[in-house]
């Protein structure tokens, strides 16, 4: 028997026609739905924006530090920084005068003492959070 003869065989076609098609029982849907557990939908939780700031902060500080090192260094291969002369001649003196004005505000011994207390309290707070594994916010 060749392939074409096998497909044209009337006996096989009659057998296929006589077989009833499979259909599920009448209570099939009811039994399946009874077995499915109902799951409550949860709304997506919105993250607080402080979490995004906490995640970005180390990269931002590292970037600012690298920009400061590249722009103020005397290493010859770092002179490629575009606008370095503008930065050194115009912006750094501006920041210098800004910090000079701020230095006068912090020259009082009361302000200095308050800053020391605040800095030490902040450091102790961060160390406590680090060792107690609590979230900061």
């Amino acid at each position: 028997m060749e392939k074409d003869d096998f497909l044209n065989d009337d006996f096989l076609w009659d057998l296929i026609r006589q077989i009833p098609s499979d259909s599920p029982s009448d209570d099939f849907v009811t039994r399946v739905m009874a077995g499915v557990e109902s799951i409550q939908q949860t709304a997506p939780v919105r993250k607080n924006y402080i979490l995004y700031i906490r995640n970005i902060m180390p990269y931002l500080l590292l970037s600012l530090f690298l920009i400061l090192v590249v722009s103020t260094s005397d290493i010859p291969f770092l002179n490629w920084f575009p606008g370095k002369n503008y930065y050194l001649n115009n912006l750094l003196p501006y920041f210098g005068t800004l910090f000079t004005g701020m230095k006068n505000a912090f020259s009082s011994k009361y302000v200095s003492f308050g800053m020391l207390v605040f800095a030490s309290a902040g450091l102790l707070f961060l160390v406590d959070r680090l060792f107690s594994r609590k979230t900061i916010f």
Side-chain angles (χ1 to χ4, degrees):
M1 239 166 131
E2 291 188 21
K3 185 176 182 181
D4 292 333
D5 293 337
F6 181 70
L7 294 176
N8 293 328
D9 193 10
D10 293 332
F11 177 70
L12 287 175
W13 283 111
D14 290 337
L15 285 176
I16 291 173
R17 283 188 201 120
Q18 291 174 1
I19 298 173
S21 61
D22 293 334
S23 62
S25 62
D26 294 335
D27 64 341
F28 175 75
V29 174
T30 310
R31 286 187 292 131
V32 169
M33 292 307 288
V36 174
E37 295 179 23
S38 63
I39 299 173
Q40 294 181 0
Q41 289 184 336
T42 57
V45 177
R46 292 185 59 192
K47 287 186 178 180
N48 196 352
Y49 69 92
I50 294 175
L51 294 175
Y52 292 116
I53 293 172
R54 283 180 53 202
N55 291 339
I56 292 173
M57 192 59 67
Y59 299 110
L60 182 66
L61 291 175
L62 182 64
S63 300
L64 289 175
F65 178 74
L66 288 176
I67 288 171
L68 181 71
V69 167
V70 167
S71 63
T72 58
S73 67
D74 290 335
I75 301 173
F77 69 89
L78 293 178
N79 287 330
W80 61 269
F81 182 65
K84 184 173 182 177
N85 291 332
Y86 173 77
Y87 177 75
L88 291 175
N89 296 335
N90 296 334
L91 292 180
L92 281 182
Y94 171 73
F95 286 123
T97 57
L98 180 69
F99 291 136
T100 303
M102 291 175 63
K103 184 176 75 169
N104 293 334
F106 294 112
S107 63
S108 171
K109 64 179 179 177
Y110 299 112
V111 174
S112 299
F113 183 71
M115 287 180 57
L116 285 173
V117 169
F118 180 72
S120 60
L123 183 63
L124 288 174
F125 176 75
L126 290 176
V127 168
D128 178 52
R129 293 297 179 169
L130 178 68
F131 288 121
S132 65
R133 293 189 182 260
K134 295 178 186 175
T135 59
I136 292 177
F137 296 103

